[in-house]
Amino acid sequence: MSIKKLIKYILPYFIFRKVEIARTRIRGLKFRGRTTQEVFSEIYQNGLWGDSIDPAQPFYSGSGSHDKSVTDVYVDGIRNLLESFPVKLNAVDLGCGDFSIGGRLRPLFSGYTACDIVPQLIEFNRNKYQSLGVDFRVINLITDELPKGDIVFIRQVLQHLSNEQIEQLIPKLEPTYDILVLTEHLPKSGSFVPNIDKPAGPDIRLGYDSGVVLTRPPFNLRAIEERVICEVDEGSGVIRTTMYKLK
């Protein structure tokens, strides 16, 4: 390919990425100075992650929680992971959202505690899923004490938080849980710069050509074992689920 043709192919993408980064930063400014509860309450109230096709479902956690090409792979991956344990574990779901995923996982565990920071969302889930025996709680995972459990799930939550918020969470995970199962939307390229900071909000670091990697600075999560459970291509990135054995 000639230099001229190469420039023709590269330049539009370069410009596109610059525009995306600028748009992401501008959208993020809207949420600066707000509490985490205010941020995520507005996201759900205004349908910033989309809207459910079910009129009886006022809360919607986005296509990543409802697209079967994503969710089926995830549920199968978790089921395969759990087969390696001799007994059913007690699970904690931090950032449970509309619980469309949690509802499918619930039968795989002995006990299940599902947490989110939006009170109206938790109350809705408590009523909708009352037959599943789930302990729904309003929890700020950054500032509150975390529920006890054997395994903790954080699915596409940290990507919406700032680095400062994530850094406050990490020290609470390591002594509280044996296993962390983390799902993040990451760039497809393995050479991306991880953990570029952003304010809390609906957007993720993919707009900065970055993504959350807990074992890299500034987070430096200490794990005895790290293993990718599953991943699915999604747009310009990949939704990857990683198991970290913490103790």
Side-chain angles (χ1 to χ4, degrees), residues 116-129:
D116 207 284
I117 197 170
V118 181
Q120 299 89 339
L121 170 62
I122 286 295
E123 185 59 28
F124 180 85
N125 287 345
R126 193 175 283 140
N127 293 324
K128 180 177 181 179
Y129 297 102

Side-chain angles (χ1 to χ4, degrees), residues 159 184-189 192 204 206 210-213 231 234 236-240 242:
Q159 59 195 30
E184 290 292 327
H185 203 159
L186 305 169
K188 288 182 179 178
S189 169
F192 68 88
I204 64 176
L206 204 63
S210 184
V212 174
V213 181
E231 62 181 33
E234 176 73 8
S236 61
V238 58
I239 298 177
R240 178 175 299 151
T242 306

Side-chain angles (χ1 to χ4, degrees), residues 5-237:
K5 286 185 177 180
L6 184 62
I7 293 174
K8 181 179 179 181
Y9 279 100
I10 292 177
L11 188 58
Y13 178 76
F14 174 77
I15 293 174
F16 171 76
R17 296 308 304 153
K18 287 291 187 182
V19 171
E20 277 297 293
I21 291 172
R23 289 176 61 190
T24 300
R25 291 185 185 277
I26 290 171
R27 284 193 296 262
L29 291 175
K30 175 183 177 182
F31 295 92
R32 286 190 182 277
R34 302 190 186 185
T35 68
T36 312
Q37 188 172 95
E38 289 171 341
V39 168
F40 286 95
S41 293
E42 179 170 338
I43 288 172
Y44 279 108
Q45 181 179 350
N46 294 333
L48 299 184
W49 290 332
D51 296 296
S52 173
I53 60 174
D54 181 1
Q57 176 65 44
F59 299 96
Y60 185 75
S61 293
S63 60
S65 294
H66 293 270
D67 184 342
K68 287 181 66 65
S69 66
V70 176
T71 59
D72 286 356
V73 172
Y74 177 79
V75 172
D76 286 344
I78 299 303
R79 185 178 289 110
N80 291 336
L81 170 67
L82 296 176
E83 287 177 353
S84 64
F85 299 100
V87 296
K88 283 189 174 183
L89 305 178
N90 291 308
V92 175
D93 186 346
L94 296 180
C96 66
D98 61 24
F99 207 61
S100 62
I101 297 293
R104 296 175 64 181
L105 296 179
R106 173 64 186 97
L108 305 176
F109 297 94
S110 176
Y112 203 106
T113 303
C115 311
D116 207 284
I117 197 170
V118 181
Q120 299 89 339
L121 170 62
I122 286 295
E123 185 59 28
F124 180 85
N125 287 345
R126 193 175 283 140
N127 293 324
K128 180 177 181 179
Y129 297 102
Q130 57 183 318
S131 64
L132 295 185
V134 176
D135 181 7
F136 285 104
R137 302 186 192 182
V138 179
I139 292 285
N140 184 331
L141 58 84
I142 301 160
T143 60
D144 293 342
E145 181 179 352
L146 302 181
K148 302 295 183 182
D150 304 309
I151 185 170
V152 60
F153 294 92
I154 308 179
R155 188 173 188 278
Q156 292 181 264
V157 174
L158 302 189
Q159 59 195 30
H160 295 292
L161 302 180
S162 70
N163 282 4
E164 180 181 0
Q165 292 170 322
I166 297 172
E167 285 185 277
Q168 292 179 64
L169 170 65
I170 299 301
K172 297 192 290 184
L173 294 176
E174 294 172 349
T176 308
Y177 306 106
D178 296 331
I179 298 165
L180 162 66
V181 178
L182 179 74
T183 304
E184 290 292 327
H185 203 159
L186 305 169
K188 288 182 179 178
S189 169
S191 60
F192 68 88
V193 177
N195 306 327
I196 291 178
D197 199 11
K198 64 173 287 297
D203 293 309
I204 64 176
R205 288 165 177 77
L206 204 63
Y208 299 89
D209 278 327
S210 184
V212 174
V213 181
L214 287 189
T215 53
R216 299 286 297 277
F219 310 130
N220 301 312
L221 177 76
R222 297 185 298 272
I224 299 172
E225 179 186 348
E226 174 182 347
R227 173 159 48 98
V228 174
I229 295 174
C230 62
E231 62 181 33
V232 179
D233 285 350
E234 176 73 8
S236 61

